[in-house]
Amino acid sequence: KSFLNHTAYLSCYFANSQKTDVKDLRVFWQKDTVEVVHEVYYGQEKHDNLTPKYVNRTKMDMDKWTLKLLNAGIADEGQYTCIIQHRDKGSPKVIHTSECSLRVIANYSQPEIAWLHNGELKPNEYLNLSCSSSGGYPEPKQMTWLISHENKTHLGPTDVSQDAVTKLYNVTSKLNIPVPTNIPTNISCLLHLGEQLGSLVSVPLGI
Protein backbone atom coordinates (compact mmCIF):
# COMPACT_ATOMS: atom_id res chain seq x y z
CA LYS A 1 0.00 0.00 0.00
CA SER A 2 1.09 3.54 -0.67
CA PHE A 3 -0.43 6.93 0.07
CA LEU A 4 -1.37 9.05 -2.94
CA ASN A 5 1.57 11.14 -4.26
CA HIS A 6 4.02 9.34 -1.93
CA THR A 7 6.73 6.83 -2.84
CA ALA A 8 5.63 3.20 -3.25
CA TYR A 9 8.10 0.40 -2.43
CA LEU A 10 7.81 -2.80 -4.47
CA SER A 11 9.94 -5.79 -3.54
CA CYS A 12 11.44 -8.49 -5.76
CA TYR A 13 11.75 -10.87 -2.78
CA PHE A 14 15.05 -12.08 -4.23
CA ALA A 15 17.47 -13.59 -1.70
CA ASN A 16 20.42 -13.83 -4.15
CA SER A 17 21.68 -16.81 -2.18
CA GLN A 18 24.28 -17.47 -4.90
CA LYS A 19 25.70 -13.94 -4.37
CA THR A 20 25.52 -13.38 -8.12
CA ASP A 21 27.17 -10.16 -9.31
CA VAL A 22 24.57 -7.61 -10.49
CA LYS A 23 26.68 -7.14 -13.63
CA ASP A 24 25.57 -10.64 -14.66
CA LEU A 25 21.87 -9.95 -14.09
CA ARG A 26 19.03 -8.27 -15.97
CA VAL A 27 16.14 -7.06 -13.82
CA PHE A 28 12.79 -6.16 -15.40
CA TRP A 29 9.74 -4.72 -13.73
CA GLN A 30 6.45 -4.96 -15.60
CA LYS A 31 2.95 -3.79 -14.72
CA ASP A 32 -0.02 -5.97 -15.64
CA THR A 33 2.39 -7.80 -18.03
CA VAL A 34 2.12 -5.03 -20.66
CA GLU A 35 3.95 -1.95 -19.36
CA VAL A 36 7.72 -1.85 -18.75
CA VAL A 37 8.24 -0.01 -15.48
CA HIS A 38 12.00 -0.39 -14.92
CA GLU A 39 15.01 -2.20 -16.36
CA VAL A 40 18.48 -2.80 -14.97
CA TYR A 41 20.64 -4.21 -17.76
CA TYR A 42 23.71 -5.99 -16.39
CA GLY A 43 24.28 -3.42 -13.67
CA GLN A 44 23.19 -0.33 -15.66
CA GLU A 45 19.78 1.33 -15.57
CA LYS A 46 18.33 1.31 -19.07
CA HIS A 47 15.50 3.62 -20.17
CA ASP A 48 14.99 2.75 -23.87
CA ASN A 49 12.12 0.30 -23.37
CA LEU A 50 10.23 2.03 -20.54
CA THR A 51 6.56 2.93 -20.84
CA PRO A 52 6.71 6.78 -20.99
CA LYS A 53 4.76 7.43 -17.76
CA TYR A 54 7.44 5.63 -15.72
CA VAL A 55 10.43 7.57 -17.08
CA ASN A 56 12.26 9.35 -14.20
CA ARG A 57 9.80 7.92 -11.66
CA THR A 58 11.56 4.71 -10.65
CA LYS A 59 14.75 3.78 -8.86
CA MET A 60 16.03 0.30 -8.02
CA ASP A 61 17.79 -0.47 -4.74
CA MET A 62 19.96 -3.44 -5.78
CA ASP A 63 20.97 -4.16 -2.17
CA LYS A 64 17.39 -4.64 -1.03
CA TRP A 65 16.01 -5.72 -4.46
CA THR A 66 13.30 -3.10 -4.04
CA LEU A 67 11.86 -0.72 -6.62
CA LYS A 68 10.93 2.81 -5.55
CA LEU A 69 8.03 4.25 -7.54
CA LEU A 70 7.85 8.00 -7.00
CA ASN A 71 4.65 10.03 -6.75
CA ALA A 72 2.32 7.02 -6.76
CA GLY A 73 -1.02 7.78 -8.42
CA ILE A 74 -4.28 5.89 -8.62
CA ALA A 75 -3.44 4.86 -12.20
CA ASP A 76 -0.41 3.03 -10.76
CA GLU A 77 -2.59 0.53 -8.90
CA GLY A 78 -2.23 -3.01 -10.21
CA GLN A 79 -0.08 -6.11 -10.38
CA TYR A 80 3.69 -5.72 -10.76
CA THR A 81 6.06 -8.50 -11.79
CA CYS A 82 9.79 -8.59 -11.13
CA ILE A 83 11.77 -10.81 -13.52
CA ILE A 84 15.47 -11.52 -12.97
CA GLN A 85 17.62 -13.11 -15.69
CA HIS A 86 21.14 -14.44 -15.29
CA ARG A 87 23.67 -14.25 -18.14
CA ASP A 88 24.75 -17.87 -18.30
CA LYS A 89 27.15 -18.94 -21.08
CA GLY A 90 26.04 -15.92 -23.09
CA SER A 91 22.27 -16.49 -23.15
CA PRO A 92 20.07 -15.00 -20.41
CA LYS A 93 18.05 -17.45 -18.30
CA VAL A 94 15.20 -16.51 -15.93
CA ILE A 95 16.25 -17.37 -12.36
CA HIS A 96 13.55 -15.52 -10.38
CA THR A 97 10.09 -14.03 -10.82
CA SER A 98 7.80 -12.56 -8.20
CA GLU A 99 4.63 -10.50 -8.12
CA CYS A 100 3.31 -7.80 -5.87
CA SER A 101 0.10 -5.85 -5.95
CA LEU A 102 -0.02 -2.09 -5.36
CA ARG A 103 -2.99 -0.38 -3.69
CA VAL A 104 -3.09 3.41 -3.38
CA ILE A 105 -4.79 5.20 -0.45
CA ALA A 106 -5.90 8.83 -0.25
CA ASN A 107 -7.15 10.21 3.07
CA TYR A 108 -10.75 11.36 3.24
CA SER A 109 -11.51 14.67 4.94
CA GLN A 110 -13.09 14.44 8.40
CA PRO A 111 -16.86 13.95 7.91
CA GLU A 112 -18.75 17.18 8.52
CA ILE A 113 -22.40 17.56 9.49
CA ALA A 114 -24.52 20.37 8.01
CA TRP A 115 -28.08 21.58 8.73
CA LEU A 116 -30.50 21.31 5.83
CA HIS A 117 -33.24 23.60 7.22
CA ASN A 118 -33.68 27.12 8.47
CA GLY A 119 -35.38 28.45 11.56
CA GLU A 120 -35.56 26.92 15.01
CA LEU A 121 -36.44 23.31 15.68
CA LYS A 122 -39.86 22.52 17.12
CA PRO A 123 -41.15 19.29 18.65
CA ASN A 124 -42.99 16.93 16.25
CA GLU A 125 -40.97 18.27 13.32
CA TYR A 126 -38.27 16.43 11.44
CA LEU A 127 -34.56 17.04 11.70
CA ASN A 128 -32.81 17.21 8.31
CA LEU A 129 -29.02 16.81 8.29
CA SER A 130 -26.34 15.95 5.78
CA CYS A 131 -22.83 14.64 6.34
CA SER A 132 -20.03 14.92 3.78
CA SER A 133 -16.46 13.77 3.32
CA SER A 134 -14.29 14.28 0.26
CA GLY A 135 -11.05 13.58 -1.58
CA GLY A 136 -10.53 9.95 -0.57
CA TYR A 137 -9.64 6.63 -2.17
CA PRO A 138 -10.56 3.75 -2.40
CA GLU A 139 -14.36 3.88 -2.50
CA PRO A 140 -15.82 3.91 1.02
CA LYS A 141 -17.93 1.00 2.30
CA GLN A 142 -20.75 3.10 3.80
CA MET A 143 -21.66 6.11 5.92
CA THR A 144 -23.78 5.68 9.05
CA TRP A 145 -25.30 7.91 11.72
CA LEU A 146 -25.05 7.47 15.47
CA ILE A 147 -27.56 9.02 17.87
CA SER A 148 -26.29 9.23 21.44
CA HIS A 149 -29.26 7.83 23.35
CA GLU A 150 -29.92 4.98 20.90
CA ASN A 151 -27.85 1.84 20.66
CA LYS A 152 -28.31 1.42 16.92
CA THR A 153 -26.88 3.11 13.85
CA HIS A 154 -28.97 4.76 11.12
CA LEU A 155 -28.36 4.41 7.40
CA GLY A 156 -29.53 7.43 5.41
CA PRO A 157 -29.65 7.85 1.63
CA THR A 158 -26.00 8.08 0.57
CA ASP A 159 -24.49 9.55 -2.58
CA VAL A 160 -20.98 8.49 -3.64
CA SER A 161 -19.37 10.26 -6.60
CA GLN A 162 -15.96 9.86 -8.25
CA ASP A 163 -14.05 12.72 -9.85
CA ALA A 164 -13.43 11.86 -13.51
CA VAL A 165 -9.92 13.35 -13.49
CA THR A 166 -8.46 12.69 -10.02
CA LYS A 167 -10.45 9.43 -9.45
CA LEU A 168 -10.98 10.53 -5.83
CA TYR A 169 -14.32 9.90 -4.12
CA ASN A 170 -16.74 12.27 -2.39
CA VAL A 171 -19.52 10.93 -0.18
CA THR A 172 -22.65 12.56 1.30
CA SER A 173 -25.34 10.98 3.47
CA LYS A 174 -28.64 12.46 4.66
CA LEU A 175 -30.50 11.91 7.91
CA ASN A 176 -34.19 12.65 8.46
CA ILE A 177 -35.49 11.85 11.96
CA PRO A 178 -38.08 13.29 14.37
CA VAL A 179 -36.64 16.09 16.50
CA PRO A 180 -35.37 14.56 19.77
CA THR A 181 -37.36 15.89 22.75
CA ASN A 182 -36.79 15.96 26.51
CA ILE A 183 -33.23 14.69 26.24
CA PRO A 184 -30.00 16.37 25.07
CA THR A 185 -28.80 14.43 22.03
CA ASN A 186 -25.49 14.14 20.25
CA ILE A 187 -25.53 13.06 16.61
CA SER A 188 -22.37 11.84 14.88
CA CYS A 189 -21.70 10.52 11.45
CA LEU A 190 -19.21 7.72 10.66
CA LEU A 191 -17.48 7.00 7.36
CA HIS A 192 -16.55 3.31 7.12
CA LEU A 193 -13.51 2.67 4.94
CA GLY A 194 -13.24 -1.11 5.24
CA GLU A 195 -11.57 -3.51 7.66
CA GLN A 196 -7.95 -2.47 7.20
CA LEU A 197 -8.55 1.29 6.99
CA GLY A 198 -11.01 1.68 9.87
CA SER A 199 -13.46 4.59 10.01
CA LEU A 200 -13.61 8.36 10.40
CA VAL A 201 -16.03 10.15 12.70
CA SER A 202 -17.45 13.68 12.57
CA VAL A 203 -17.47 16.21 15.39
CA PRO A 204 -20.77 15.43 17.23
CA LEU A 205 -23.67 17.79 16.70
CA GLY A 206 -25.50 18.65 19.93
CA ILE A 207 -29.28 19.07 19.81
Side-chain angles (χ1 to χ4, degrees):
K1 290 191 176 74
S2 170
F3 281 103
L4 181 69
N5 300 328
H6 284 59
T7 299
Y9 295 87
L10 308 169
S11 179
C12 264
Y13 305 107
F14 180 56
N16 196 16
S17 50
Q18 306 292 318
K19 300 285 185 276
T20 308
D21 190 329
V22 296
K23 291 188 174 60
D24 292 322
L25 298 175
R26 291 172 74 185
V27 184
F28 292 98
W29 278 94
Q30 290 181 316
K31 177 175 183 252
D32 300 330
T33 70
V34 290
E35 297 178 323
V36 181
V37 178
H38 194 84
E39 182 180 357
V40 180
Y41 186 83
Y42 301 126
Q44 298 293 315
E45 302 214 334
K46 192 176 174 190
H47 304 285
D48 312 4
N49 303 318
L50 298 190
T51 302
K53 68 178 179 182
Y54 293 108
V55 173
N56 297 328
R57 286 185 59 216
T58 57
K59 198 167 181 59
M60 183 82 189
D61 182 336
M62 299 299 280
D63 295 324
K64 295 180 181 162
W65 301 97
T66 298
L67 184 73
K68 284 202 261 191
L69 175 61
L70 307 178
N71 203 24
I74 288 162
D76 294 319
E77 281 199 323
Q79 196 79 13
Y80 289 79
T81 309
C82 169
I83 302 158
I84 300 178
Q85 296 178 333
H86 181 226
R87 178 163 49 185
D88 188 33
K89 300 189 178 72
S91 59
K93 185 174 78 177
V94 174
I95 58 168
H96 178 82
T97 61
S98 66
E99 290 191 340
C100 61
S101 170
L102 177 63
R103 294 280 167 269
V104 175
I105 300 161
N107 284 328
Y108 282 85
S109 63
Q110 183 181 16
E112 204 170 297
I113 297 176
W115 295 90
L116 293 180
H117 46 72
N118 301 318
E120 60 178 299
L121 291 176
K122 299 193 177 83
N124 304 322
E125 289 188 346
Y126 272 79
L127 183 65
N128 279 313
L129 302 174
S130 78
C131 181
S132 301
S133 173
S134 61
Y137 191 90
E139 187 174 357
K141 298 296 178 208
Q142 62 178 170
M143 197 174 239
T144 58
W145 294 83
L146 205 57
I147 297 170
S148 56
H149 60 267
E150 298 180 9
N151 57 3
K152 63 175 185 181
T153 55
H154 290 253
L155 269 173
T158 302
D159 175 59
V160 177
S161 61
Q162 187 178 28
D163 187 286
V165 178
T166 65
K167 304 297 181 199
L168 300 178
Y169 288 95
N170 299 323
V171 54
T172 300
S173 177
K174 293 190 174 155
L175 181 70
N176 183 267
I177 55 165
V179 172
T181 51
N182 306 330
I183 183 166
T185 300
N186 277 331
I187 298 175
S188 307
C189 131
L190 283 84
L191 179 64
H192 303 271
L193 301 172
E195 278 177 30
Q196 294 175 321
L197 297 172
S199 54
L200 292 173
V201 63
S202 69
V203 173
L205 177 72
I207 306 289

